[in-house]
Amino acid sequence: MHLGVHSFLFCFREVMRYVKQHWSDVYPGDFIHLSCNEIIPADILLLKSSDPNGICHLETSNLDGENNLKQRQTVSGFEFSNDFEISRFQHKLDVELPNSEIYKFRGYVEKESKQKISLSNENLLLRGCILKNTDFIEGIVVYAGHETKAMLNNRGPRYKRSKLERKINQDVIWCVILLLFLCFFCAIGSGIWLSNFNGLTDNTNYVPFIPFGDLDKFSPVYQGFIVFWTYIIIFQTVIPLPMYVSLELVKIAQVYFINNDEDVYHELSNKRLECRALNITEDLGQIEYIFSDKTGTLTENLMEFKTCTIGGVDYPHMPGDVESDFGSRMSIASMSRSSSIYENLPLEPALQRELSNMCLRSLDSVELTIPEHVKRVQEFFLLMAVCNTVVVSHHPHQDEMDESGFLSQPEFLKQAAQSREEGLDRYNRLPEAATPPNRSSKARGASLASLNSESDYQFTSSNGSIAGSSSQMSDSSQRTRYEAESPDELALVKAASTYGCRLIQRSPERVSVWLPGDGEVEFEVLHILSFDSVRKRMSVIIKHPETEEITLYVKGADSSILSVLDRKFRMNDTEEKAVRVKTEEHITDYALKGLRTLCMAKRTLSQEVYKDWLKMHQEGSDSACRIEEELDLLGATGIEDRLQDGVPETIAKLREAGINIWVLTGDKQETAIEIAYASKLFHRNQEPVTLNSNTKEEAKDLIVHHIEQINLNRTSPSQDGPPAKEKEYALIIDGKTLAFALHDNSSKKAFLNLTKKCNSVVCCRATPIQKGHVVKLVKEELKKLTLAIGDGANDVSMIQTADIGIGISGQEGMQAVMSSDFAIARFKYLERLLLVHGHWCYNRLSKFGAFMFYKSLMSVMMLFWFQFFSGFSGSLMLDSIYMMLLHLIFTSLPPIVNGIFDKDVTAEVLLEKPELYSVGQKGEMYTNWTFLMVLLDAIYQSAVLYFIAHLAYTAENAGIWEYGTTIMTALILIILLHLVIETNSWIWIQWLILIMTFLFFWVFAVVSNAIFFTWDHPSNPYWVMENTISTPIHSCVVIISCVVALLPRLCIRAIQATVWPSAIMKVKQLEKELIESDQQTTTTTATTISEAVDNSPDSARNGGNPQLNNLSVDYREQVRQRHRLPSDQTVDSVSPIRT
């Protein structure tokens, strides 16, 4: 049964069954029924589970970013049968108040007998988690809605201000200063103007706009003070408050189109780009530093078992060339959790031979008849099968309850017994050459003797199935499903299963494994020592089912395993020492191929050692490190984390755009370097600069030494001939050295100085907190705009520290996405997000901000010029309703539409020419001088408009309202035509809104002036518009004002495009020449073109511009399709391009 994430089965008490409900309808005390793969809708106390042991498994990736399966247990003391028994729950439930502690929970259930059953976090299912590996569960809601722990941990969206917005806010301060200046100027002018009048006491009507109730109180200073506040009200529109509202509308629309861009939609995962921060879209166009995680960000985080070394012997599993090319040799389908084997893994014949008769006797450490290397191989694969936290299931999880709340037995339950009997029968019917399941000593002796004979080993066919047992392996793989804590564990278990050592069942106390020589055997699990970031390893202690021998199996990072080996592996001239040396060589080899490595080791524990350790363990001391020592080295594995599609091309494009890319990873140095080369972050012409040190002083000396060496190489005089290209450097630094480099201010400055001299930086073995510190260092010290991208919980620190955080919704949960500003499904989408949408958003909002300042300044300066001719009285020549609607309706929509749809260049051009991105990095579209230029332009245009109208109406017999209406009409036209000049591209909606805006003003003025109203006393614009437009002077003033006001701007734009073209103008001209050359080519006869090609091949095809030859074929084709021109194939048939 599959239910949506917003619905679940809720116990409806009136009919005593479960019914489907929405999340919003759940309350504390409700009973909930959930099926496998459903999301928990509230914090639920687990009362019943389909598992016989009362356990269920949760995936908590939506909560804490970890995609491992966590186990939860039902409350002890309640036994429910398969029938509906919720009505029997008549107990008192007492829990702590809602809080944000997701790892703590306290409470108790009080029975009718007053017995109290304590509750813990192991009984609580948290909202947002996903039910896994369990058919169904039932429970009671303890916290719902905003009281759940997940909601209490949600801090909500973080408010960020973009770099452009901060600049606009600074210019608003200049607007405030200008407002105060204009108000003071006009107030002083009013006082001076009034002080020139004498004899006011004789004629009080001399200055009619001043109330003379008490002539003794009249004072020019006092009147100037009153007028100052009048001008504050009149000139307040110089502060563009509508800009902030319009800016948010533009950003919301931009976000909508970014979210719905089909080019950043990932079809396989059905995920689109998600904008989680609405106010920093323009920062995407100004990024200078990118900090990226490696695993899951640059790579797939889908692990493929590639090779292993056992006892110093290398067993490569890569077909053809042993070196990995990071290609997709195995389909993603073969990595599915629903399969228990690798379907396309090329198996090693030597390993198959040594594993074909693997049985309990061969795993006995005292058995002397089996070669040591064979025993090591078998124990190596047993370790891969049992040393993990993989959860096993044998059928698809199906709920017995349908969506109506009625029970129905699933089909797989009806056939379960029969299928299991048939399956076990197949396991027992082994071929004659294999070891029979009979555990008698005679049978085991025959089996062990055959291990020494090569002819008795069984080989595998090329398709990876074991000869003689292919039927049972393929059948079991259909029934067995693995759900692993990490992709690494899944890869190891499936590799072991492919070789026949297959994990069958797991419980907290037991683990069942299929061995080729014995069939199904069961080991007792004594302890599981989980992985932690300090030890960097995990262990399992198991007991041999027959000899009761206790063995510790350990796997972990090579540095954590090799350091705790037995002394014999460190002694010279020993076989063990040779094994260790060979293993280390193979590990280094794997890392250089970009593979992730894990070391495997074991230790046989005596009863005394185990009992002593168990006592220490029960006392709660740090016991794991005490027993994980004196280990015997078994070998190591190499697992490939495939590079995502498009990563090398994306990194190459971003670097061409002038963006510095750093990779911050916790992986081994060799692995990170190889990935850097494969992803084109490094190239072979770069000189690597490696920083590995053990002390702070050594780290600082290394940094200073490399700085001096780079300076020396770059300042050394070149020999005769053209100057050589400046050498490039790639910096590699490990986690320990990075900690030293971030220790104090002097080290930080030296480290930053070195990084500025390097083209690429890779930080290896970096901790999550170090990632955040590196981002903070660059952001604060270099004052650069930073972007951090990652996919896991360990990337949250740097994602939240950077100016823009991007989360990849990959294999490591949703913690990175939940902490990010933008979420994408693949790293390759970063190219379009930055180079296209980032550039567009920055360009549009820069022009939008400048235009909104221009609009406000224009209208205010128009009123300012009138004050010189109205005695600085605060009078207006414009109708107040026009002033109110000027920025609200008459000129508001066209700039908003332009801010959404205007494109200075197309997406194809931006992707073809990444260097255009530098326009945003340098802040060329909105500089510190932009506001000054807008102010000067507004002063000029307003002066032209006002004084042309003033001079034209001086000799006319017209009232102030006709005069003001003409100015308002010309003002709106100038503002709209100014926008036309600044628009780069046009679509129908822009033309429509522009024309409709002016028509709306014109119709509004005609209709409103045709109606007599007195609510706006003393003005009465009755029939003003009709009288104004009927006079020729109105049209003449409007036309002349528009031409004279906008002609300088039009001329400057034309001269700039011709004499000092920007990079964008050059590219647009190049595209225009390409279109013209193709049109010319297709319309010219074949004979004429053939002659032209013979004489001048480039000019015939490229219109005389050799730069057209540098354009890529894909870009040419996109341009032709956009302009409906013939394709390259058609054109080339007439005029071939010279290559």
Side-chain angles (χ1 to χ4, degrees):
M1 180 179 62
H2 176 74
L3 298 179
V5 296
H6 298 296
S7 61
F8 59 93
L9 289 180
F10 159 80
C11 179
F12 195 59
R13 294 181 182 273
E14 294 182 2
V15 295
M16 292 307 297
R17 65 179 176 88
Y18 286 101
V19 294
K20 196 173 182 179
Q21 290 286 3
H22 292 285
W23 283 29
S24 56
D25 297 326
V26 63
Y27 296 97
D30 291 341
F31 289 94
I32 303 296
H33 180 103
L34 295 172
S35 304
C36 186
N37 294 323
E38 283 196 293
I39 300 179
I40 311 297
D43 292 350
I44 300 173
L45 189 66
L46 181 60
L47 298 177
K48 182 179 179 181
S49 172
S50 60
D51 187 87
N53 298 319
I55 63 173
C56 72
H57 296 89
L58 300 178
E59 183 180 294
T60 61
S61 58
N62 292 336
L63 194 64
D64 57 12
E66 300 177 6
N67 65 345
N68 59 316
L69 299 182
K70 296 181 172 63
Q71 186 173 291
R72 292 295 181 264
Q73 182 72 45
T74 56
V75 179
S76 60
F78 298 100
E79 298 295 336
F80 295 105
S81 64
N82 292 329
D83 299 330
F84 189 86
E85 297 290 348
I86 297 300
S87 58
R88 293 173 49 191
F89 190 87
Q90 303 291 336
H91 314 295
K92 177 182 177 182
L93 181 61
D94 193 341
V95 297
E96 60 186 356
L97 293 176
N99 58 72
S100 60
E101 294 286 343
I102 63 174
Y103 299 110
K104 294 181 181 178
F105 174 68
R106 294 190 300 271
Y108 63 87
V109 177
E110 185 176 339
K111 291 187 172 183
E112 297 177 351
S113 61
K114 302 301 181 180
Q115 177 189 359
K116 292 184 179 179
I117 301 174
S118 62
L119 307 175
S120 69
N121 193 52
E122 296 298 314
N123 310 123
L124 189 66
L125 311 183
L126 297 181
R127 169 178 170 151
C129 299
I130 303 175
L131 185 65
K132 290 287 186 179
N133 204 44
T134 310
D135 294 344
F136 70 90
I137 61 98
E138 292 176 358
I140 184 172
V141 176
V142 291
Y143 306 120
H146 290 280
E147 293 183 345
T148 58
K149 294 181 181 290
M151 294 295 289
L152 292 175
N153 273 278
N154 188 355
R155 296 178 295 176
R158 294 173 293 125
Y159 181 78
K160 290 184 177 180
R161 287 189 303 169
S162 67
K163 188 177 180 179
L164 178 61
E165 188 177 346
R166 290 194 294 268
K167 278 190 176 182
I168 290 177
N169 290 341
Q170 293 174 0
D171 291 337
V172 169
I173 296 176
W174 287 110
C175 289
V176 175
I177 295 174
L178 179 62
L179 171 64
L180 296 177
F181 169 78
L182 294 177
C183 292
F184 275 114
F185 184 90
C186 291
I188 294 172
S190 176
I192 294 175
W193 188 79
L194 289 176
S195 64
N196 292 330
F197 289 93
N198 296 319
L200 288 178
T201 55
D202 299 330
N203 185 5
T204 57
N205 295 324
Y206 202 63
V207 187
F209 57 83
I210 298 179
F212 289 98
D214 189 351
L215 295 179
D216 296 334
K217 293 183 178 180
F218 170 74
S219 168
V221 177
Y222 176 75
Q223 293 301 322
F225 175 77
I226 296 299
V227 169
F228 172 83
W229 298 106
T230 302
Y231 282 115
I232 288 287
I233 298 173
I234 294 175
F235 294 153
Q236 66 177 333
T237 54
V238 75
I239 301 175
L241 295 181
M243 176 179 66
Y244 288 97
V245 178
S246 302
L247 200 63
E248 293 303 317
L249 294 177
V250 170
K251 289 183 178 181
I252 290 174
Q254 288 179 349
V255 165
Y256 171 79
F257 286 108
I258 292 175
N259 287 345
N260 290 275
D261 186 356
E262 292 296 327
D263 291 325
V264 290
Y265 167 68
H266 190 239
E267 188 175 358
L268 290 178
S269 61
N270 192 28
K271 291 180 180 178
R272 296 182 178 272
L273 188 150
E274 178 185 359
C275 297
R276 299 170 54 83
L278 304 181
N279 54 334
I280 56 173
T281 54
E282 60 271 31
D283 273 351
L284 292 171
Q286 298 182 276
I287 297 299
E288 295 182 71
Y289 279 83
I290 291 179
F291 299 90
S292 174
D293 178 40
K294 183 187 75 67
T295 304
T297 303
L298 301 180
T299 60
E300 291 280 5
N301 201 18
L302 291 174
M303 308 304 176
E304 300 177 3
F305 182 85
K306 289 299 177 184
T307 186
C308 64
T309 174
I310 307 174
V313 179
D314 188 20
Y315 296 96
H317 288 67
M318 292 176 281
D321 187 3
V322 176
E323 290 190 6
S324 170
D325 60 356
F326 297 90
S328 178
R329 299 184 196 84
M330 298 169 57
S331 65
I332 293 181
S334 69
M335 299 295 296
S336 171
R337 288 184 178 185
S338 63
S339 174
S340 64
I341 63 171
Y342 283 119
E343 298 172 358
N344 300 325
L345 181 65
L347 304 185
E348 271 290 316
L351 285 180
Q352 295 175 247
R353 184 171 59 250
E354 292 157 0
L355 289 169
S356 61
N357 286 333
M358 180 179 178
C359 61
L360 288 175
R361 184 68 175 273
S362 62
L363 297 173
D364 191 347
S365 63
V366 298
E367 179 60 48
L368 302 178
T369 60
I370 303 176
E372 186 65 29
H373 183 72
V374 174
K375 292 176 61 177
R376 186 180 280 119
V377 169
Q378 296 183 0
E379 290 203 275
F380 182 88
F381 277 85
L382 179 64
L383 186 152
M384 290 171 57
V386 300
C387 188
N388 51 66
T389 56
V390 171
V391 176
V392 187
S393 59
H394 297 281
H395 57 76
H397 294 288
Q398 298 181 26
D399 197 350
E400 300 176 14
M401 188 174 293
D402 58 22
E403 295 187 14
S404 302
F406 294 104
L407 296 177
S408 60
Q409 188 176 17
E411 187 67 25
F412 74 86
L413 287 179
K414 299 177 181 178
Q415 302 176 355
Q418 181 181 356
S419 298
R420 179 159 180 81
E421 289 176 3
E422 294 176 356
L424 291 177
D425 185 52
R426 281 195 296 269
Y427 295 152
N428 293 328
R429 288 200 304 267
L430 295 174
E432 295 180 2
T435 305
N438 188 352
R439 301 279 177 85
S440 66
S441 60
K442 181 178 179 180
R444 283 197 298 269
S447 173
L448 294 173
S450 68
L451 289 173
N452 294 321
S453 173
E454 187 172 310
S455 62
D456 289 335
Y457 286 104
Q458 301 193 18
F459 293 88
T460 42
S461 58
S462 58
N463 64 3
S465 62
I466 297 181
S469 59
S470 59
S471 60
Q472 65 256 33
M473 287 299 298
S474 60
D475 182 75
S476 63
S477 66
Q478 294 175 5
R479 294 201 318 273
T480 304
R481 297 167 183 266
Y482 294 144
E483 296 187 68
E485 178 178 348
S486 68
D488 301 78
E489 284 195 341
L490 184 62
L492 295 178
V493 173
K494 291 175 73 173
S497 179
T498 306
Y499 274 101
C501 183
R502 188 168 55 85
L503 178 64
I504 293 179
Q505 190 57 269
R506 175 187 296 280
S507 69
E509 298 83 19
R510 303 281 175 180
V511 57
S512 298
V513 182
W514 171 270
L515 301 181
D518 275 344
E520 183 175 351
V521 297
E522 188 177 79
F523 295 89
E524 181 182 354
V525 178
L526 301 179
H527 295 281
I528 294 179
L529 305 178
S530 302
F531 176 89
D532 63 58
S533 57
V534 178
R535 291 163 42 242
K536 295 184 179 179
R537 54 183 180 257
M538 79 158 291
S539 305
V540 59
I541 303 176
I542 63 174
K543 180 184 289 188
H544 196 284
E546 293 186 352
T547 64
E548 296 190 351
E549 182 180 65
I550 299 175
T551 306
L552 168 74
Y553 289 113
V554 188
K555 71 175 182 182
D558 56 310
S559 57
S560 65
I561 298 293
L562 297 177
S563 60
V564 292
L565 293 179
D566 192 81
R567 284 187 303 173
K568 60 186 177 184
F569 288 91
R570 296 191 294 269
M571 296 173 61
N572 295 326
D573 302 327
T574 61
E575 182 181 349
E576 288 78 8
K577 174 72 172 181
V579 169
R580 173 176 177 166
V581 171
K582 276 291 185 182
T583 303
E584 289 178 341
E585 290 176 359
H586 294 152
I587 290 174
T588 304
D589 253 358
Y590 299 163
L592 291 176
K593 295 171 186 173
L595 303 181
R596 296 164 62 92
T597 58
L598 280 176
C599 263
M600 312 293 181
K602 60 162 283 191
R603 181 185 179 187
T604 302
L605 304 176
S606 65
Q607 291 290 340
E608 294 75 14
V609 172
Y610 174 71
K611 289 179 180 179
D612 293 341
W613 174 83
L614 182 60
K615 182 178 179 181
M616 184 189 310
H617 180 70
Q618 292 172 344
E619 291 174 354
S621 61
D622 185 15
S623 57
C625 294
R626 301 289 182 88
I627 198 170
E628 292 173 341
E629 58 186 12
E630 300 179 9
L631 302 179
D632 291 332
L633 181 62
L634 294 177
T637 59
I639 300 174
E640 183 184 73
D641 189 3
R642 299 187 303 114
L643 207 62
Q644 288 185 16
D645 294 336
V647 167
E649 294 79 7
T650 300
I651 290 180
K653 289 285 188 180
L654 294 176
R655 293 189 63 189
E656 287 181 38
I659 300 176
N660 298 282
I661 301 178
W662 293 21
V663 172
L664 312 180
T665 178
D667 256 343
K668 287 171 59 68
Q669 184 168 295
E670 294 83 359
T671 304
I673 292 174
E674 189 64 24
I675 290 291
Y677 279 114
S679 64
K680 293 187 179 179
L681 180 64
F682 291 175
H683 56 79
R684 300 300 174 182
N685 295 328
Q686 283 182 327
E687 181 176 328
V689 176
T690 305
L691 298 181
N692 293 332
S693 62
N694 295 315
T695 63
K696 176 184 172 184
E697 292 74 18
E698 183 184 355
K700 194 168 185 179
D701 291 341
L702 264 177
I703 294 174
V704 173
H705 166 73
H706 285 299
I707 292 175
E708 294 174 350
Q709 190 63 39
I710 292 175
N711 291 335
L712 183 63
N713 293 341
R714 288 182 173 175
T715 56
S716 59
S718 59
Q719 298 178 358
D720 296 338
K725 184 180 179 181
E726 190 176 80
K727 194 167 188 178
E728 295 185 357
Y729 295 89
L731 178 63
I732 306 106
I733 181 172
D734 67 349
K736 185 183 292 186
T737 309
L738 183 61
F740 296 142
L742 301 176
H743 185 265
D744 52 47
N745 290 331
S746 61
S747 299
K748 290 178 182 178
K749 292 180 180 179
F751 174 64
L752 281 179
N753 190 17
L754 178 59
T755 60
K756 287 190 290 185
K757 299 178 183 296
C758 298
N759 304 85
S760 307
V761 179
V762 170
C763 299
C764 316
R765 298 294 194 188
T767 63
I769 194 66
Q770 281 181 330
K771 292 181 180 182
H773 287 163
V774 170
V775 175
K776 183 179 180 182
L777 179 66
V778 174
K779 176 182 175 182
E780 295 182 352
E781 296 296 330
L782 299 183
K783 307 298 181 184
K784 302 294 185 181
L785 213 58
T786 58
L787 180 148
I789 179 170
D791 72 317
N794 59 330
D795 303 316
V796 170
S797 177
M798 69 173 183
I799 286 175
Q800 292 184 332
T801 304
D803 294 289
I804 292 182
I806 296 185
I808 291 185
S809 48
Q811 304 292 323
E812 295 192 21
M814 297 295 290
Q815 189 71 6
V817 171
M818 293 169 65
S819 305
S820 65
D821 304 306
F822 299 87
I824 57 180
R826 281 291 187 268
F827 182 86
K828 66 179 180 180
Y829 297 145
L830 189 62
E831 176 187 357
R832 186 172 180 87
L833 179 62
L834 297 185
L835 302 188
V836 177
H837 291 294
H839 176 87
W840 282 346
C841 290
Y842 170 70
N843 176 73
R844 293 164 175 169
L845 293 176
S846 296
K847 290 187 174 182
F848 179 83
F851 184 80
M852 295 300 287
F853 278 121
Y854 157 79
K855 235 182 11 138
S856 299
L857 292 169
M858 185 75 176
S859 61
V860 168
M861 294 306 300
M862 180 66 57
L863 302 177
F864 175 73
W865 300 126
F866 180 70
Q867 303 310 308
F868 285 93
F869 303 95
S870 63
F872 296 98
S873 60
S875 301
L876 301 177
M877 75 291 198
L878 303 176
D879 193 350
S880 59
I881 193 170
Y882 292 158
M883 292 300 300
M884 180 177 65
L885 298 179
L886 174 63
H887 300 294
L888 184 63
I889 295 179
F890 296 154
T891 61
S892 61
L893 287 181
I896 291 177
V897 173
N898 257 33
I900 298 171
F901 295 105
D902 190 29
K903 298 177 183 178
D904 55 346
V905 283
T906 61
E908 294 82 6
V909 172
L910 293 171
L911 295 175
E912 173 72 17
K913 298 289 184 181
E915 58 270 18
L916 297 180
Y917 189 77
S918 62
V919 171
Q921 292 174 325
K922 299 174 182 177
E924 295 178 359
M925 300 302 300
Y926 196 98
T927 66
N928 295 328
W929 299 98
T930 298
F931 180 78
L932 177 61
M933 299 306 297
V934 168
L935 176 61
L936 294 177
D937 198 14
I939 291 174
Y940 166 76
Q941 293 187 24
S942 61
V944 166
L945 171 58
Y946 178 80
F947 286 105
I948 287 178
H950 180 83
L951 294 175
Y953 275 91
T954 299
E956 291 290 326
N957 185 19
I960 190 173
W961 301 123
E962 287 86 347
Y963 171 64
T965 300
T966 299
I967 289 181
M968 176 58 69
T969 304
L971 175 64
I972 293 177
L973 260 180
I974 289 175
I975 290 175
L976 296 180
L977 292 176
H978 180 104
L979 183 64
V980 171
I981 295 174
E982 294 301 309
T983 301
N984 293 293
S985 63
W986 291 95
I987 59 175
W988 66 269
I989 192 171
Q990 290 171 277
W991 286 114
L992 178 65
I993 295 297
L994 189 73
I995 295 171
M996 293 299 296
T997 296
F998 181 74
L999 290 179
F1000 177 81
F1001 158 74
W1002 200 85
V1003 171
F1004 175 84
V1006 171
V1007 173
S1008 64
N1009 286 184
I1011 302 173
F1012 181 83
F1013 55 88
T1014 59
W1015 54 268
D1016 191 21
H1017 185 76
S1019 67
N1020 184 10
Y1022 181 68
W1023 218 248
V1024 170
M1025 187 64 178
E1026 286 77 1
N1027 289 333
T1028 302
I1029 61 178
S1030 65
T1031 59
I1033 192 67
H1034 168 78
S1035 300
C1036 292
V1037 169
V1038 170
I1039 294 173
I1040 295 174
S1041 298
C1042 291
V1043 172
V1044 177
L1046 296 175
L1047 187 61
R1049 172 166 288 271
L1050 193 61
C1051 293
I1052 291 173
R1053 290 297 183 220
I1055 294 172
Q1056 182 182 6
T1058 306
V1059 183
W1060 300 291
S1062 64
I1064 292 177
M1065 293 177 180
K1066 291 178 182 178
V1067 172
K1068 292 172 71 174
Q1069 180 63 26
L1070 195 64
E1071 184 176 2
K1072 182 180 179 182
E1073 291 179 14
L1074 175 63
I1075 297 170
E1076 291 176 351
S1077 70
D1078 285 340
Q1079 289 174 337
Q1080 181 182 2
T1081 302
T1082 55
T1083 56
T1084 308
T1085 62
T1087 305
T1088 305
I1089 293 180
S1090 178
E1091 295 174 357
V1093 170
D1094 291 337
N1095 297 326
S1096 178
D1098 289 338
S1099 60
R1101 173 63 187 264
N1102 296 334
N1105 190 344
Q1107 294 184 12
L1108 294 179
N1109 282 329
N1110 298 326
L1111 299 177
S1112 67
V1113 176
D1114 291 339
Y1115 170 64
R1116 287 173 177 269
E1117 199 63 31
Q1118 289 169 350
V1119 171
R1120 293 185 180 98
Q1121 291 176 1
R1122 193 167 67 249
H1123 295 277
R1124 294 172 182 168
L1125 296 173
S1127 66
D1128 250 337
Q1129 296 177 355
T1130 305
V1131 175
D1132 289 347
S1133 65
V1134 182
S1135 176
I1137 301 178
R1138 186 183 70 177
T1139 57

PDB file of all heavy atoms in Angstrom, residues 9 476 495 868 1000 1046 1054:
ATOM      1  N   LEU A   9      -3.232   6.385   7.912  1.00  0.00           N
ATOM      2  CA  LEU A   9      -4.393   5.697   8.478  1.00  0.00           C
ATOM      3  C   LEU A   9      -4.541   6.073   9.944  1.00  0.00           C
ATOM      4  O   LEU A   9      -3.624   5.902  10.738  1.00  0.00           O
ATOM      5  CB  LEU A   9      -4.245   4.191   8.321  1.00  0.00           C
ATOM      6  CG  LEU A   9      -4.385   3.675   6.887  1.00  0.00           C
ATOM      7  CD1 LEU A   9      -4.223   2.173   6.854  1.00  0.00           C
ATOM      8  CD2 LEU A   9      -5.724   4.073   6.289  1.00  0.00           C
ATOM      9  N   SER A 476      17.736 -16.581  -4.923  1.00  0.00           N
ATOM     10  CA  SER A 476      17.821 -15.922  -3.615  1.00  0.00           C
ATOM     11  C   SER A 476      17.989 -14.427  -3.768  1.00  0.00           C
ATOM     12  O   SER A 476      17.501 -13.660  -2.926  1.00  0.00           O
ATOM     13  CB  SER A 476      18.996 -16.495  -2.815  1.00  0.00           C
ATOM     14  OG  SER A 476      20.226 -16.231  -3.487  1.00  0.00           O
ATOM     15  N   ALA A 495      29.160  -7.520  -2.872  1.00  0.00           N
ATOM     16  CA  ALA A 495      30.317  -8.186  -3.469  1.00  0.00           C
ATOM     17  C   ALA A 495      30.529  -9.561  -2.836  1.00  0.00           C
ATOM     18  O   ALA A 495      30.769 -10.558  -3.540  1.00  0.00           O
ATOM     19  CB  ALA A 495      31.554  -7.320  -3.309  1.00  0.00           C
ATOM     20  N   PHE A 868      10.785  77.333  -7.774  1.00  0.00           N
ATOM     21  CA  PHE A 868      11.433  78.606  -8.071  1.00  0.00           C
ATOM     22  C   PHE A 868      10.444  79.636  -8.592  1.00  0.00           C
ATOM     23  O   PHE A 868      10.680  80.844  -8.492  1.00  0.00           O
ATOM     24  CB  PHE A 868      12.539  78.397  -9.113  1.00  0.00           C
ATOM     25  CG  PHE A 868      13.774  77.741  -8.562  1.00  0.00           C
ATOM     26  CD1 PHE A 868      13.922  76.371  -8.618  1.00  0.00           C
ATOM     27  CD2 PHE A 868      14.779  78.506  -7.973  1.00  0.00           C
ATOM     28  CE1 PHE A 868      15.052  75.758  -8.122  1.00  0.00           C
ATOM     29  CE2 PHE A 868      15.913  77.894  -7.479  1.00  0.00           C
ATOM     30  CZ  PHE A 868      16.062  76.518  -7.545  1.00  0.00           C
ATOM     31  N   PHE A1000      -3.667  53.358 -20.336  1.00  0.00           N
ATOM     32  CA  PHE A1000      -4.463  53.420 -19.109  1.00  0.00           C
ATOM     33  C   PHE A1000      -4.393  54.816 -18.490  1.00  0.00           C
ATOM     34  O   PHE A1000      -5.406  55.358 -18.040  1.00  0.00           O
ATOM     35  CB  PHE A1000      -3.945  52.386 -18.111  1.00  0.00           C
ATOM     36  CG  PHE A1000      -4.658  52.433 -16.782  1.00  0.00           C
ATOM     37  CD1 PHE A1000      -5.888  51.819 -16.618  1.00  0.00           C
ATOM     38  CD2 PHE A1000      -4.111  53.114 -15.695  1.00  0.00           C
ATOM     39  CE1 PHE A1000      -6.552  51.871 -15.402  1.00  0.00           C
ATOM     40  CE2 PHE A1000      -4.766  53.169 -14.481  1.00  0.00           C
ATOM     41  CZ  PHE A1000      -5.993  52.550 -14.339  1.00  0.00           C
ATOM     42  N   LEU A1046      15.691  62.621 -24.031  1.00  0.00           N
ATOM     43  CA  LEU A1046      16.243  61.280 -24.217  1.00  0.00           C
ATOM     44  C   LEU A1046      17.324  61.199 -25.275  1.00  0.00           C
ATOM     45  O   LEU A1046      18.002  60.166 -25.381  1.00  0.00           O
ATOM     46  CB  LEU A1046      15.107  60.310 -24.583  1.00  0.00           C
ATOM     47  CG  LEU A1046      14.043  60.118 -23.498  1.00  0.00           C
ATOM     48  CD1 LEU A1046      12.910  59.239 -24.022  1.00  0.00           C
ATOM     49  CD2 LEU A1046      14.638  59.491 -22.247  1.00  0.00           C
ATOM     50  N   ALA A1054      24.602  54.624 -28.280  1.00  0.00           N
ATOM     51  CA  ALA A1054      25.072  54.307 -29.624  1.00  0.00           C
ATOM     52  C   ALA A1054      26.586  54.427 -29.727  1.00  0.00           C
ATOM     53  O   ALA A1054      27.258  53.566 -30.322  1.00  0.00           O
ATOM     54  CB  ALA A1054      24.397  55.237 -30.630  1.00  0.00           C
TER      55      ALA A1054
END
